[in-house]
Amino acid sequence: MLRSKILPQILNQAINNTDTKGVLLMKEDGSLIACSDATTSSHNTSKIVAAITSNIWTAYNRNSDLQYQLIDCEEGRFVITKVASLLLCVYSDINTEFGLLKLKTQKLREYLEEPLGKVEHVQ
């Protein structure tokens, strides 16, 4: 069983050192379900990242066959994937390798897939 108070703590496990700035769990419209940020980030940053990444995901996922999306920007890197009916985004600074970010995203996705899948059926 997945408790809502535990969800940010689970997301925080991906931020174990300075390479990852944040982890977001959001709806496809960009509204945050849970987030975990590095201490230097603000909650407004999470809202902005969620809005932008969900729009990019929606724009490129027209056939619903997209598994991962890797985005490289001037200020950082993002990996987005779908978990049940939600989006999971892990973002970092520009120096972090995409392989590490994708691996963190993949492991979080595997861990959250079953409990979030059960919540999806209840709705």
Side-chain angles (χ1 to χ4, degrees), residues 29-122:
D29 66 357
S31 56
L32 285 173
I33 302 296
C35 67
S36 181
D37 297 310
T39 55
T40 58
S41 299
S42 69
H43 193 65
N44 285 337
T45 302
S46 297
K47 290 180 183 178
I48 293 168
V49 169
I52 293 170
T53 55
S54 67
N55 274 331
I56 294 171
W57 175 270
T58 304
Y60 283 95
N61 194 28
R62 296 186 193 271
N63 297 329
S64 300
D65 58 354
L66 192 60
Q67 291 186 3
Y68 291 92
Q69 189 169 37
L70 286 66
I71 304 169
D72 195 10
C73 300
E74 289 180 16
E75 298 287 324
R77 293 182 170 171
F78 304 84
V79 176
I80 311 163
T81 190
K82 193 149 182 133
V83 181
S85 63
L86 302 174
L87 294 178
L88 177 67
C89 174
V90 179
Y91 62 99
S92 70
D93 61 10
I94 195 71
N95 298 321
T96 305
E97 297 294 327
F98 269 126
L100 177 64
L101 272 182
K102 185 178 176 193
L103 182 63
K104 285 184 177 190
T105 307
Q106 183 178 7
K107 293 301 178 184
L108 269 173
R109 177 185 179 182
E110 291 171 4
Y111 185 79
L112 294 171
E113 189 75 42
E114 183 185 348
L116 290 177
K118 290 178 183 177
V119 172
E120 176 184 27
H121 295 297
V122 173

Side-chain angles (χ1 to χ4, degrees), residues 4-37:
S4 60
K5 291 183 179 181
I6 303 296
L7 200 49
Q9 295 172 0
I10 293 170
L11 299 180
N12 196 38
Q13 291 177 4
I15 308 175
N16 57 359
N17 53 25
T18 59
D19 62 349
T20 306
K21 288 185 178 180
V23 181
L24 309 173
L25 188 64
M26 62 192 136
K27 293 182 182 178
E28 283 195 34
D29 66 357
S31 56
L32 285 173
I33 302 296
C35 67
S36 181
D37 297 310

